[in-house]
Amino acid sequence: MSSLQNDSDRSRSVSLADEERVKEILATSIMGLWEVVNELTRLRPSKRERYRVAIFGSARAEPGSFVYEEVKRVAAAFASMGCDIVTGGGPGLMQAANEGATSVGSRLGSMGIRVELPFEQDVNPFVEQAFEHKTFFTRLQHFVIASDAFVVVPGGIGTVLEMLMIWQLLQVRHVDNVPLILVGKMWEGLVDWASTSMLDPRLHLANADDLKIPRCLETADEAIAVVRELHGKWQAQQRAGA
């Protein structure tokens, strides 16, 4: 078919009564939009001024609880190194992380990437930069673009979902060379279960190396030490590339 004929076809109006043609146009247009989105998500900043640590965790933990105070301490330590803190922007351990960042005067480095929910709507008061998404999928893509390391602290189904999606993106190399750090005893059990179940010789379901992607730690102090090491390497690479 010639280019002129294609142009002619596109120029003809389509009645909304022509249901099949309307569906075809909508489907083609939506796929075209996805192509644009896919192209845009390939873009990455060539250089970032500050190292960004995304912290995923429970929205249910109360201020003053042991885990809340430990996450706040971890985030404060990261911010003191010169790291920005990125969270889901909500309550619980997300708030703890943002509060920790602001407690050392790093308010501009305290970010929240939110998603619309029928509950937990308010951005916590320690977020300086807030971003809103309508779906978990675009929100996760924002986290991927915005973060140099992922630290996962205790959480429920939402936190597990975020952790597994990041793990899968690392496994298929859609995300590369970004550490996935799991902090807390609950995560070691999950990774052990995955290793035992997926590497069963009777039904091999995964590559052994892929199950080594998450790095399991038990304490806040271990997490601080690991991120300090990662941040130091990042700084050296930035200086080398300057």
Side-chain angles (χ1 to χ4, degrees):
M1 185 179 290
S2 69
S3 176
L4 286 175
Q5 188 173 352
N6 281 330
D7 290 342
S8 175
D9 288 343
R10 283 194 291 267
S11 68
R12 289 201 300 266
S13 61
V14 175
S15 169
L16 292 177
D18 186 349
E19 186 174 339
E20 290 303 314
R21 182 67 177 132
V22 168
K23 287 180 180 178
E24 179 185 342
I25 291 172
L26 286 173
T28 302
S29 299
I30 290 169
M31 291 305 297
L33 287 172
W34 275 115
E35 284 297 319
V36 172
V37 170
N38 287 334
E39 284 297 301
L40 290 173
T41 58
R42 294 170 56 197
L43 300 175
R44 294 291 186 274
S46 58
K47 188 173 182 179
R48 215 190 305 274
E49 293 185 2
R50 290 165 62 89
Y51 194 75
R52 287 182 177 172
V53 181
I55 299 179
F56 298 115
S58 171
R60 298 172 184 267
E62 295 292 334
S65 64
F66 175 77
V67 68
Y68 186 101
E69 296 304 318
E70 284 294 271
V71 170
K72 184 168 73 173
R73 181 168 73 89
V74 163
F78 295 166
S80 294
M81 298 174 201
C83 301
D84 290 339
I85 302 300
V86 187
T87 78
L93 300 184
M94 295 175 280
Q95 177 172 309
N98 291 124
E99 183 178 356
T102 60
S103 71
V104 294
S106 185
R107 191 165 184 86
L108 287 176
S110 181
M111 299 170 57
I113 303 177
R114 299 281 292 135
V115 64
E116 285 189 5
L117 294 172
F119 50 87
E120 298 173 8
Q121 283 293 321
D122 294 334
V123 177
N124 76 64
F126 302 99
V127 169
E128 177 61 24
Q129 298 181 66
F131 303 91
E132 297 287 339
H133 287 264
K134 292 186 180 297
T135 72
F136 282 97
F137 306 104
T138 59
R139 177 184 185 236
L140 181 71
Q141 183 63 34
H142 194 164
F143 270 112
V144 168
I145 293 171
S147 307
D148 298 299
F150 300 103
V151 174
V152 186
V153 296
I157 294 170
T159 304
V160 172
L161 173 66
E162 290 163 338
M163 184 276 288
L164 289 174
M165 291 180 75
I166 294 295
W167 188 352
Q168 198 263 341
L169 289 172
L170 288 163
Q171 180 239 332
V172 298
R173 310 296 188 266
H174 278 207
V175 177
D176 213 5
N177 296 321
V178 182
L180 176 59
I181 302 162
L182 313 183
V183 187
K185 293 181 179 179
M186 66 175 285
W187 300 115
E188 187 174 0
L190 187 149
V191 175
D192 285 346
W193 165 82
S195 298
T196 301
S197 302
M198 296 179 190
L199 299 180
D200 187 327
R202 294 168 298 179
L203 182 60
H204 206 70
L205 300 172
N207 186 311
D209 287 339
D210 292 334
L211 294 172
K212 297 175 184 176
I213 289 171
R215 183 170 181 177
C216 292
L217 308 175
E218 287 194 8
T219 68
D221 289 327
E222 288 178 283
I224 292 168
V226 167
V227 171
R228 181 175 287 113
E229 180 182 354
L230 292 168
H231 183 242
K233 290 179 180 178
W234 177 84
Q235 287 180 311
Q237 290 170 351
Q238 295 295 103
R239 288 192 295 268

